[in-house]
Amino acid sequence: MVDISRRLFLIGTAGAVLAAAACNAPGVDGGSGAKDSLALLTAMLPETLNPIAGADSNGMGKINEGLLTLEGPADDLPNLVPQLAASDPEPSADAKTWTVKIRPDVVFSDGTPLTAEDVVATYTAIIDPATTSPIAGDLSMLKSVTAPDPTTVVFTLKVSYVAFPTKLLIGIAPAAAIVAGQKVEESDLNQNPIGTGPYVVESFSSSTLVYVANPKFRDGEPAIKKITYVSTPDDNTRAQQMTAGEYDGSVLPPRLAITFENSDDVEVISATSADWRGISLPLDNPVTSDPAVRMALNLGIDRQGMVDGILMGYGRAASTFIPPQYTDYYSEDAVFAYDVDQATAMLQDAGWSVGSDGIRTKDGQRAEFKIYYKPEDRLRKDLSAAFASEALKLGFDVTIEGAGFDVLEPHIHQDAVMLGGGDTPYDIDSQLFSMLHSSYPAAGAYYDNPSQYANPKMDAALEKGRTSLTLKERVAAYQEVQNIYMAEPSMVVLVFLDHTYVQLRAIADAWHDTSTILEPHEHGTSWGPWVNIEQWTPKD
């Protein structure tokens, strides 16, 4: 039999701060009662609302729901529980076949009933090469999906894969709206999704996304009838707008969120996550390709100083992509101790000598490289600057430059990049595979395995971890993964973040709300205190 834990692995907590004045904010009636709408500021809006393109793929979609969803306390690993599925997915003994029964009481927002064919059409479109779905790589283990009857879906896999329930969080679209072989960017679902969730789209532009309650939702219309998401990429601008009381809530980096800690009108709320930040070390760069440089940078960077000084305590130091919340899989020994003396000795032994200007050289090569970061992301900029300062103490001349993804992509194999990850951390496999397996980045996006790390032993350990049927075997495989990584790191993973949000206190005064859940890399105003907004009820 398959030894499968029903607990999957995300990471988070609830918690803490926001600030502003504004009893006249759009969603609150002077604190005296609950209005049925909220206006939220977000750093960015989605480019697409199409689940085949990856929208609503983390099990918490408000438009397109998945077969499974996330459920659990804010400070513990969530469970994967049925949503559109009628019961837990049933695996075969070898975990190569998974059978899912569909709920009989679900209709799409256009009034058509959900059937197994809608699930088949959605998953088939994602894995169809002609569709060019950006999440096709996430389903690389899926061979086929069939519907033996209207309420049953059978997933057949190429290999044993005990973490397959993590792939059942993807939002489901109606078969009638899916055109076989159509490129995903040409689909009408990008702008006009048809889902089973508690909300439907009223309008969608580059600057604003408006949801309104779905009158056909099986559990009844949500009490919050309208949610307006407004895109404001600049962190400081969002903080100013919250201070002015123009909106009900927003997501902010910690340094800005803490400015609201003493506000009478705004609270700060935090959620722990598996969302990491780290520096890629490309192999095509003459400095970062040196194994001694990679190890020295991992040993000589004060990660805890970054947690204290940049994250303001909202986060944890990280050495690998595996946070402690992975319990059995996490190795307490997989930590790079902060040791400047060891780092400098290692560089000296490897031939990197300090010049008169304090910068090291080896065989005529100066120890210099550039780090790119998203210019609108203050947190990434601050972490990049802190890393450059720490690296200078070791004899490296590191410059930082803000650049959009269109600039980053062609540079990623020559220059370092401040990256984030943990997109689907519900199982340790999805947290690690695309960052360390040699089939990436070719099998995924350019930011997967950006250092072009390739180690046959690592590949073997990762494949054993994703195909083993028992917890004991999986634990052994992922312990080996960590041992290999500690001896040969591909990046400098720096921190795990706590995502920080701000919300008017009048909201909590007017509504019985829900707690946060443990969050992935994806965050913003669809997460945090608003992750289960459809469950809110007004206070008397």
Side-chain angles (χ1 to χ4, degrees):
M1 293 297 293
V2 182
D3 180 6
I4 303 173
S5 173
R6 296 201 183 276
R7 298 170 65 80
L8 296 213
F9 307 93
L10 234 189
I11 296 125
T13 77
V17 295
L18 206 236
C23 291
N24 61 341
V28 177
D29 183 13
S32 62
K35 283 190 174 181
D36 61 0
S37 65
L38 288 182
L40 304 172
L41 276 175
T42 185
M44 65 175 64
L45 293 173
E47 295 181 359
T48 175
L49 301 177
N50 185 353
I52 297 170
D56 291 344
S57 63
N58 271 332
M60 303 304 293
K62 299 293 174 276
I63 304 296
N64 295 99
E65 299 174 298
L67 293 171
L68 302 180
T69 187
L70 302 173
E71 183 179 278
D75 57 354
D76 199 359
L77 303 175
N79 298 315
L80 295 188
V81 299
Q83 188 172 54
L84 299 182
S87 56
D88 291 330
E90 292 295 331
S92 60
D94 61 1
K96 286 186 177 181
T97 302
W98 293 77
T99 302
V100 182
K101 301 297 288 188
I102 306 299
R103 288 181 61 162
D105 60 340
V106 180
V107 297
F108 286 98
S109 57
D110 64 358
T112 59
L114 171 75
T115 71
E117 288 298 336
D118 301 306
V119 179
V120 171
T122 298
Y123 279 83
T124 299
I126 292 171
I127 65 176
D128 181 357
T131 305
T132 63
S133 168
I135 62 171
D138 295 340
L139 294 174
S140 61
M141 75 297 296
L142 180 59
K143 182 178 181 180
S144 65
V145 53
T146 57
D149 62 61
T151 62
T152 306
V153 180
V154 177
F155 296 89
T156 302
L157 310 187
K158 301 171 186 176
V159 295
S160 301
Y161 188 55
V162 298
F164 188 69
T166 63
K167 310 305 179 183
L168 302 180
L169 298 165
I170 294 170
I172 304 301
I178 299 172
V179 179
Q182 182 185 52
K183 288 186 179 297
V184 69
E185 62 267 22
E186 299 172 358
S187 173
D188 186 56
L189 293 172
N190 293 320
Q191 294 288 319
N192 302 295
I194 302 170
T196 60
Y199 290 93
V200 296
V201 175
E202 181 179 84
S203 62
F204 181 32
S205 69
S206 60
S207 60
T208 308
L209 172 60
V210 180
Y211 287 171
V212 292
N214 176 8
K216 297 182 176 67
F217 187 56
R218 61 190 173 276
D219 294 332
E221 288 189 31
I224 296 288
K225 302 299 183 185
K226 184 175 184 177
I227 312 169
T228 301
Y229 303 97
V230 178
S231 174
T232 303
D234 184 74
D235 296 332
N236 289 309
T237 301
R238 291 199 309 281
Q240 292 166 4
Q241 289 174 298
M242 283 301 302
T243 300
E246 298 173 8
Y247 292 88
D248 297 307
S250 186
V251 56
L252 290 175
R255 279 186 171 177
L256 290 175
I258 64 167
T259 64
F260 295 98
E261 282 186 329
N262 296 321
S263 169
D264 293 333
D265 302 304
V266 180
E267 62 177 334
V268 179
I269 300 167
S270 70
T272 305
S273 77
D275 184 9
W276 54 262
R277 294 291 179 272
I279 305 290
S280 65
L281 301 174
L283 283 179
D284 293 348
N285 183 287
V287 177
T288 60
S289 60
D290 188 328
V293 168
R294 292 177 173 220
M295 183 62 75
L297 288 172
N298 270 283
L299 293 170
I301 300 298
D302 184 5
R303 294 168 169 86
Q304 189 58 47
M306 295 181 182
V307 172
D308 296 338
I310 297 174
L311 302 187
M312 314 309 292
Y314 286 105
R316 290 133 288 137
S319 291
T320 75
F321 306 104
I322 305 175
Q325 286 82 355
Y326 283 92
T327 57
D328 292 336
Y329 299 105
Y330 174 74
S331 172
E332 293 183 354
D333 296 327
V335 174
F336 290 109
Y338 177 43
D339 193 331
V340 173
D341 291 341
Q342 184 180 355
T344 54
M346 181 175 294
L347 290 167
Q348 198 68 29
D349 290 345
W352 291 95
S353 301
V354 178
S356 58
D357 60 352
I359 304 303
R360 295 180 183 274
T361 59
K362 178 181 179 180
D363 300 331
Q365 173 62 54
R366 197 166 186 265
E368 59 184 1
F369 60 94
K370 180 184 291 185
I371 298 174
Y372 285 100
Y373 65 90
K374 289 171 58 178
E376 69 275 12
D377 191 322
R378 175 174 175 174
L379 181 58
R380 295 195 193 203
K381 179 181 179 180
D382 290 347
L383 287 170
S384 297
F387 179 91
S389 178
E390 290 288 299
L392 182 61
K393 299 174 186 177
L394 300 176
F396 292 92
D397 182 7
V398 178
T399 57
I400 68 172
E401 181 177 332
F405 286 140
D406 56 333
V407 174
L408 294 181
E409 184 170 356
H411 284 268
I412 199 161
H413 293 151
Q414 291 80 40
D415 296 296
V417 178
M418 169 60 71
L419 293 171
D423 291 344
T424 52
Y426 313 109
D427 184 87
I428 192 170
D429 169 78
S430 54
Q431 182 80 347
L432 292 177
F433 199 84
S434 64
M435 293 306 298
L436 295 174
H437 196 275
S438 64
S439 62
Y440 289 84
Y446 72 92
Y447 46 77
D448 293 321
N449 191 10
S451 303
Q452 298 173 287
Y453 180 79
N455 183 326
K457 291 183 178 179
M458 177 66 82
D459 285 355
L462 288 167
E463 288 160 5
K464 182 179 180 181
R466 72 165 20 187
T467 58
S468 295
L469 301 182
T470 68
L471 177 62
K472 181 178 180 181
E473 290 174 324
R474 295 195 82 204
V475 166
Y478 289 114
Q479 292 291 322
E480 178 65 9
V481 165
Q482 289 168 90
N483 291 339
I484 295 169
Y485 186 87
M486 292 300 293
E488 188 183 2
S490 64
M491 294 180 55
V492 182
V493 185
L494 297 170
V495 296
F496 290 109
L497 307 181
D498 291 349
H499 298 151
T500 46
Y501 305 90
V502 290
Q503 177 177 264
L504 296 183
R505 294 187 185 276
I507 301 296
D509 292 340
W511 292 92
H512 294 291
D513 56 11
T514 55
S515 67
T516 63
I517 63 171
L518 304 169
E519 295 187 351
H521 172 65
E522 177 189 350
H523 58 291
T525 46
S526 61
W527 292 84
W530 313 287
V531 68
N532 284 312
I533 195 169
E534 70 277 6
Q535 298 176 19
W536 287 18
T537 58
K539 292 181 178 178
D540 295 332

